[in-house]
Amino acid sequence: DSGVTQTPKHLITATGQRVTLRCSPRSGDLSVYWYQQSLDQGLQFLIQYYNGEERAKGNILERFSAQQFPDLHSELNLSSLELGDSALYFCASSADLGAGNTIYFGEGSWLTVV
Amino acid sequence: ELKVEQNPLFLSMQEGKNYTIYCNYSTTSDRLYWYRQDPGKSLESLFVLLSNGAVKQEGRLMASLDTKARLSTLHITAAVHDLSATYFCAVDNGNQFYFGTGTSLTVIP
C-alpha cells in the first residue's frame, strides 16, 4: 500500500458526460501528480500541484482540469468525455522534488466511456 | 523537453537467463528511478539512484546509473516468471518527473 488513495476505482460513463476523480496523497506529501495510462499512449503526465498551486502541466486536454485543495487532496475533472478518454488515471504524490524523493502511485481509477 | 528512452520496448526471455534493460535520458540529471507495473495495477517503486555510479540491488534485479553517459541499466539475473511485468525508468529535473515508455518483460518457462 503506497498510502495514496484514489476514488472511485472503477467508473463507467457515457460520452459527453463529466466525471471527477479524487486523490488523497500520502501523509505529509505536498506534491500531487496526475497521469493517464492507455494502451496506445502509454503513461502520460497530465498535471502537477504543489501545496495547492499548479507547478507543471503536461499533455492535459482543455476538457480536463484539476485542483489541489487546502487539505492537499486533489481532484481531476474530466468533461465532455469521449471514447478515447477511456484509460487508467493515476494519482501520485511525493515530498518535494529535487531531493531524491520518489513519487508514490495510487491504485488508479479505471474510466470507461461508452 | 527532457526525453527518456528505454530499450527494448518488449523483451521475452527464458527463465534462468540474464538480460539488461537500458534507459537513456536527454539532459543532465543525477536522479533516476525505476518502477515496476503489473498489468492493470499501480506502479511500484523499485530503485532510487541519486548519484553517478550508484548501484542498487534487490533480489534478481540490479540497477545502476552513469550520469556522464546519461544512462541507467536494469540488469536481470537468472530470470524467473514472477519478474514478468512492465518496467519504467523515470528522471526528475527538480521540477517534474519524466517517464520512459516502459519495457514489457515476459519470462517464459
Side-chain angles (χ1 to χ4, degrees):
Chain A
D1 182 1
S2 67
V4 179
T5 304
Q6 289 187 247
T7 57
K9 287 186 169 39
H10 299 273
L11 191 57
I12 301 174
T13 191
T15 55
Q17 295 298 304
R18 172 190 167 96
V19 298
T20 297
L21 309 181
R22 194 178 189 280
C23 170
S24 294
R26 292 190 327 149
S27 176
D29 284 355
L30 299 178
S31 279
V32 168
Y33 312 77
W34 286 98
Y35 288 86
Q36 178 194 58
Q37 188 176 41
S38 59
L39 284 176
D40 57 343
Q41 293 285 334
L43 189 65
Q44 298 284 321
F45 168 68
L46 296 178
I47 199 163
Q48 179 198 355
Y49 282 83
Y50 177 78
N51 202 20
E53 299 289 326
E54 181 184 305
R55 190 162 185 179
K57 197 177 251 192
N59 301 320
I60 188 166
L61 300 172
E62 285 191 10
R63 301 183 284 109
F64 297 179
S65 64
Q67 55 184 325
Q68 186 180 27
F69 294 89
D71 67 353
L72 301 178
H73 91 271
S74 178
E75 293 181 355
L76 178 66
N77 301 295
L78 315 174
S79 61
S80 302
L81 285 167
E82 302 174 0
L83 296 178
D85 297 327
S86 296
L88 181 55
Y89 290 84
F90 284 112
C91 172
S93 76
S94 73
D96 200 7
L97 285 179
N101 297 303
T102 192
I103 61 175
Y104 294 89
F105 283 78
E107 295 296 309
S109 292
W110 279 100
L111 173 64
T112 303
V113 182
V114 297
Chain B
E1 180 182 307
L2 194 158
K3 293 192 186 301
V4 183
E5 294 183 348
Q6 286 182 238
N7 70 82
L9 297 183
F10 298 94
L11 175 57
S12 180
M13 56 190 296
Q14 285 189 309
E15 277 190 333
K17 299 291 188 183
N18 304 334
Y19 209 83
T20 300
I21 298 170
Y22 297 88
C23 174
N24 289 91
Y25 53 97
S26 64
T27 194
T28 302
S29 176
D30 56 4
R31 293 183 295 276
L32 190 128
Y33 310 80
W34 284 96
Y35 290 83
R36 169 186 170 137
Q37 184 183 32
D38 293 306
K41 302 293 186 183
S42 183
L43 279 76
E44 172 193 356
S45 177
L46 291 175
F47 299 110
V48 178
L49 303 169
L50 298 179
S51 61
N52 185 41
V55 177
K56 294 271 183 82
Q57 182 163 4
E58 179 76 32
R60 300 173 188 276
L61 299 177
M62 184 174 72
S64 65
L65 178 61
D66 181 344
T67 59
K68 291 184 171 58
R70 299 178 187 172
L71 170 69
S72 179
T73 60
L74 181 65
H75 187 71
I76 303 151
T77 303
V80 293
H81 180 69
D82 284 353
L83 290 179
S84 296
T86 298
Y87 293 86
F88 291 91
C89 64
V91 175
D92 95 67
N93 64 355
N95 194 44
Q96 189 176 335
F97 262 62
Y98 295 84
F99 279 84
T101 50
T103 296
S104 177
L105 170 65
T106 303
V107 180
I108 304 166

